[in-house]
Amino acid sequence: MDRPVRVALFGVGAVSSLIAKALLQKKGVEIVAAIDVAHDKVGRDLADVLGLPRKLNLIVAKDVKEAFSRAKPDLVVHATSSSLEQVHRQISACLKEAVNIVSTCEELAYPYLKNRAIAEDLDRLAKQYKVSVLGTGINPGFLMDTLPITVTGSCLEVKRIKVTRMMDSGKRRIPYQKKIGTGLTEEEFREKISRREISGHVGLDVSIAMIADSLGWKLDEIVEVAPEPILAEKTLETSYTTVKKGCVAGLKSIAYGVMNGERIIQLEFVSHSGVEEEYDSIQVDGLPNIRLKIEGGVHGDVGTVAMIINSIPKVMNASPGLHTMNHLPIPSATPAELNVYAKP
């Protein structure tokens, strides 16, 4: 591509702001538009919203029509919600402007599990306007689905898969710590979980469905166990709050896929303050058995930013339609200028 890739931001929240700052440091790409529905962001210079010292002369718009009337992007980085139902109209509006999309929406990573009608509509629109759309991130999108799928490529037989993510949440950004109930009493945690005021991790079921699809497994069911609080054994200090002994330091979420009465895919997501050892692990029982452990784990925010940015050329080079990570070329870093990897 003989010019920079033109990118628009849809959503300028915590994650999107990290992506925007990384894009501003990346060669071969240019942010040409920004959209947000929050009244306190619309009408402001993007640099002001991001907390940058210099102006970008790029005003945050309230909708797609307004933003794209100023500059037409090649691709939209979409980061507003985990719910596909909530973002359906936002993504549709971008597709109707004939613009490619990479989204952080967890349910879009493999939407055929719970949102098949929406998935088919987005696929139809993308093909109609000859563009592509992808939902991805570090998880779902890579660590607990794409990576274990790739690992099975060296197996002649796969019987079972178990993936574990162990994170120290006390070092993560404050919105994430709030999301998992850090500092609450156990009673407050269970009440907020029941009212869905806190959600824990979103997308374990999506990752299981993606793995099963890749291996051709027809699951009888996917079971998500309600998140369980992990209580602090001593007082802990985090970047967000002080967690008193006996209060919630984080949570554990488990989901599994069942076939012929047996758990053949199990995902465990553990995130709490004071974790003794951070890691990501993949266990494959098969021929051969595989044990993979990433010591220290992969930083969630950095990994998400990287997955979004590195997926931009993959999506721009893909055939029109809705894609999932298991049906695109394997993910890879883009250390050179981003436009080198994008199609003309």
Side-chain angles (χ1 to χ4, degrees), residues 38-206:
H39 296 300
D40 62 339
K41 296 176 184 176
V42 173
R44 293 166 59 192
D45 190 284
L46 178 61
D48 185 34
V49 175
L50 296 177
L52 301 179
R54 60 184 177 86
K55 296 293 183 183
L56 295 173
N57 297 317
L58 200 163
I59 304 301
V60 178
K62 67 179 182 300
D63 57 38
V64 168
K65 289 290 185 183
E66 178 185 346
F68 293 2
S69 67
R70 304 171 187 170
K72 179 68 176 293
D74 300 306
L75 178 139
V76 168
V77 169
H78 175 273
T80 63
S81 173
S82 302
S83 167
L84 188 51
E85 287 188 0
Q86 292 182 18
V87 306
H88 182 194
R89 290 185 178 181
Q90 297 173 352
I91 294 175
S92 295
C94 296
L95 293 177
K96 290 175 182 177
E97 295 292 327
V99 177
N100 299 288
I101 299 170
V102 177
S103 176
T104 64
C105 176
E106 285 93 334
E107 290 185 353
L108 185 61
Y110 193 85
Y112 304 101
L113 176 65
K114 296 184 292 189
N115 299 280
R116 179 167 291 275
I118 295 176
E120 291 175 348
D121 180 60
L122 294 178
D123 184 56
R124 177 188 59 79
L125 280 173
K127 290 175 178 175
Q128 178 181 345
Y129 291 94
K130 296 180 173 57
V131 289
S132 302
V133 56
L134 171 73
T136 192
I138 197 64
N139 188 39
F142 184 68
L143 283 176
M144 301 187 87
D145 39 50
T146 304
L147 184 56
I149 289 168
T150 304
V151 166
T152 66
S154 60
C155 296
L156 286 172
E157 180 183 2
V158 178
K159 298 178 180 178
R160 284 175 300 277
I161 296 174
K162 180 181 179 181
V163 185
T164 303
R165 182 151 166 76
M166 186 73 66
M167 296 171 47
D168 184 350
S169 60
K171 299 186 292 187
R172 292 288 301 275
R173 52 189 166 81
I174 290 174
Y176 175 79
Q177 294 187 52
K178 289 181 178 180
K179 178 181 177 181
I180 63 171
T182 306
L184 298 176
T185 65
E186 182 176 358
E187 182 181 4
E188 290 170 335
F189 176 92
R190 296 191 185 282
E191 287 179 355
K192 288 181 178 291
I193 285 287
S194 65
R195 296 198 298 266
R196 297 187 178 181
E197 293 179 14
I198 57 174
S199 60
H201 180 68
V202 177
L204 293 180
D205 55 346
V206 168

